[in-house]
Amino acid sequence: MIKKILVIILVHVTIISYAQEGTSSPYSFYGIGIPKFKGTVENRSMGGLSIYTDSIHLNLQNPASYGELRLTTYTVGASYRRYKISNANQSSSGENASLDYLAIGIPAGKFGFGFGVIPLTSVGYELNSIKDDGSELRFTGKGGLNKVFLSTGFKVNKNLSVGLDLNYNFGNIENKTILRRPGVQFDTREINSSDLSSFSLSFGVTYKTMITEKLELVASAVSTPSFELTTDSTRELATIVIDNSGREGVIERQDVAVEDKEIDLPAEFKFGAGIGKPKKWFVGAEYIYMDSGKFTNLVSNQDNVVYENASKFKTGGYYIPNYNSLTGYFSRVVYRAGFRYEETGLNINNGSINEFGISFGVGLPVGRLFSNTNIGFEYGQRGTTNFGLVKEEFFNISLSLSLNDKWFRKIKFN
């Protein structure tokens, strides 16, 4: 059993490390990339809520949820994204796909344990800037930050659960700049590559109580203290020539010493509450605050960029017509919807970069032991065409499998 678990962990880390980029956003040029959603498709379809927990689904946003598990649960999620990027004069569009998470949760009496890997941020951009003298700057970037987590939850009593996440964060971000000047035969290239690593932790609590015979109140809170992200950086300067197919040939190159630094990643606190009828419907809201005002860029500071404290508001819920129906399949389907609004904390040219999303989805029962396939849809916008900036519109389709099994059965002999 231990060998099986170790193999699963290694597969998780390898797959996510090679498949986590999944973004094409000019705003990923700043900081350490665009933050990725750190929950399941089930959560994302309800506006990203982390409040609700049950015994058959993983809630990757609150470690207290593992105390609720009654079946071993394996989950994997992926998404496909269509996007449109526009400024005041023109627009472009594209698409990408990414693997979003792999995780497993194991119940053990009042305790529950979980482990897996999730992308935290993603970098993927191509930018061009043409100066008055005709010279051109090309900026490209790729990579991101991931986390491997080990979580535990404990059900203190029938109402209260607490939990702890232990995380190892790792990744690599590469930023490349090419300068092309009219009348000059060769171009200049600079590549900055940074390996990122740190440890972090989160504390979670969930409280449930019946306030009437049929209505249940659910409240949750998660606190993530600030932590330092260590960078191991390299810089390469080169004289290059670019052929007609876009390939870069190196004429001369030089490695430049770069001082490693530590980046203070912001503390985060989230609190939410909701009400519902168990196994029938639920609606809730959540507020998230991030102390990101002291955040700095990875490679260099830009004079036109300021980081502010960030906040997020989310609301959503679900509805099940009849969860134990024996004849009507669609009566057992879970219908989800939600809305989110985020002040990202990024301010460029005195313009705050905000984001919103509208989501909905379904959970389709499959197999036995309450396994299900979850499909989610989200439309959203990020940024603005004011202040010389760009606006992003995106449409996400997310898919996950939540597979349940019962481990550690007692063997009986007659």
Side-chain angles (χ1 to χ4, degrees):
M1 181 64 68
I2 298 299
K3 288 183 178 180
K4 180 179 179 181
I5 292 175
L6 290 175
V7 169
I8 292 174
I9 293 175
L10 291 175
V11 171
H12 282 17
V13 174
T14 302
I15 293 176
I16 290 288
S17 296
Y18 283 96
Q20 60 75 237
E21 190 171 307
T23 194
S24 298
S25 171
Y27 294 113
S28 68
F29 173 79
Y30 302 96
I32 56 173
I34 294 293
K36 301 277 285 185
F37 179 66
K38 305 174 186 65
T40 62
V41 173
E42 298 94 297
N43 297 134
R44 191 172 190 170
S45 300
M46 297 188 290
L49 284 184
S50 67
I51 306 169
Y52 189 78
T53 61
D54 61 29
S55 61
I56 60 171
H57 293 91
L58 293 185
N59 182 345
L60 306 180
Q61 300 182 88
N62 187 341
S65 65
Y66 292 96
E68 300 275 344
L69 283 180
R70 292 298 174 264
L71 294 171
T72 298
T73 303
Y74 179 87
T75 185
V76 55
S79 60
Y80 167 80
R81 177 187 183 97
R82 288 280 303 174
Y83 62 88
K84 178 182 177 182
I85 302 174
S86 57
N87 59 20
N89 302 313
Q90 56 186 352
S91 65
S92 62
S93 60
E95 59 187 3
N96 53 51
S98 64
L99 184 62
D100 294 332
Y101 57 85
L102 289 160
I104 188 170
I106 304 170
K110 289 189 174 183
F111 284 92
F113 302 92
F115 58 86
V117 59
I118 306 173
L120 296 179
T121 71
S122 184
V123 175
Y125 62 85
E126 294 183 6
L127 306 172
N128 288 348
S129 175
I130 300 177
K131 298 184 177 180
D132 294 337
D133 61 1
S135 60
E136 179 184 4
L137 281 170
R138 297 181 179 178
F139 304 92
T140 58
K142 61 181 180 180
L145 184 67
N146 314 290
K147 79 169 182 179
V148 177
F149 66 89
L150 176 63
S151 304
T152 182
F154 176 67
K155 194 169 182 64
V156 180
N157 53 46
K158 67 176 184 178
N159 302 114
L160 181 66
S161 298
V162 296
L164 173 67
D165 267 336
L166 297 175
N167 310 307
Y168 174 67
N169 311 289
F170 68 97
N172 175 270
I173 294 177
E174 181 183 283
N175 299 281
K176 179 169 67 174
T177 305
I178 295 177
L179 172 61
R180 309 194 74 181
R181 291 166 291 184
V184 178
Q185 181 180 5
F186 300 122
D187 305 317
T188 302
R189 184 183 71 186
E190 176 182 324
I191 298 178
N192 291 281
S193 180
S194 299
D195 292 323
L196 314 173
S197 62
S198 73
F199 289 94
S200 63
L201 51 83
S202 298
F203 306 94
V205 60
T206 298
Y207 180 79
K208 295 182 176 182
T209 185
M210 299 299 295
I211 56 176
T212 70
E213 185 177 337
K214 295 184 178 181
L215 291 181
E216 181 181 50
L217 173 67
V218 180
S220 74
V222 179
S223 177
T224 304
S226 176
F227 61 93
E228 291 186 341
L229 185 64
T230 302
T231 68
D232 182 7
S233 302
T234 60
R235 179 174 297 163
E236 175 197 295
L237 297 178
T239 301
I240 64 171
V241 59
I242 302 176
D243 63 21
N244 294 331
S245 63
R247 291 178 298 183
E248 302 168 11
V250 177
I251 307 299
E252 182 181 359
R253 56 170 287 180
Q254 177 185 1
D255 293 327
V256 179
V258 180
E259 182 181 359
D260 297 332
K261 60 181 179 180
E262 294 180 340
I263 300 174
D264 288 328
L265 293 186
E268 179 181 282
F269 178 78
K270 53 187 173 184
F271 170 79
I275 192 171
K277 182 179 179 181
K279 301 178 182 178
K280 183 68 176 181
W281 63 268
F282 177 82
V283 62
E286 184 174 48
Y287 175 75
I288 302 172
Y289 173 81
M290 295 181 65
D291 182 19
S292 54
K294 297 180 181 179
F295 187 71
T296 58
N297 279 314
L298 177 62
V299 177
S300 61
N301 294 319
Q302 287 88 23
D303 294 335
N304 65 332
V305 178
V306 176
Y307 291 96
E308 306 166 331
N309 292 333
S311 60
K312 306 176 184 179
F313 175 78
K314 303 177 180 181
T315 183
Y318 75 83
Y319 173 72
I320 308 174
N322 185 0
Y323 82 97
N324 61 356
S325 174
L326 299 178
T327 57
Y329 176 83
F330 288 100
S331 295
R332 294 184 286 119
V333 171
V334 184
Y335 300 90
R336 305 181 177 102
F339 171 82
R340 63 183 176 90
Y341 177 80
E342 303 182 9
E343 297 174 348
T344 66
L346 178 62
N347 184 297
I348 307 173
N349 298 338
N350 294 318
S352 296
I353 307 303
N354 299 325
E355 181 176 336
F356 80 87
I358 301 170
S359 57
F360 61 95
V362 292
L364 305 174
V366 295
R368 57 188 184 87
L369 285 178
F370 307 105
S371 295
N372 51 85
T373 297
N374 301 282
I375 306 172
F377 306 89
E378 182 185 38
Y379 169 79
Q381 293 184 8
R382 178 190 298 125
T384 174
T385 56
N386 299 325
F387 311 105
L389 302 176
V390 298
K391 181 176 72 174
E392 301 177 24
E393 297 179 78
F394 52 86
F395 180 72
N396 297 323
I397 301 176
S398 302
L399 175 67
S400 78
L401 294 175
S402 181
L403 307 177
N404 299 315
D405 198 1
K406 191 172 182 62
W407 287 10
F408 312 113
R409 293 184 177 92
K410 291 183 179 180
I411 299 177
K412 296 181 179 181
F413 297 92
N414 294 324

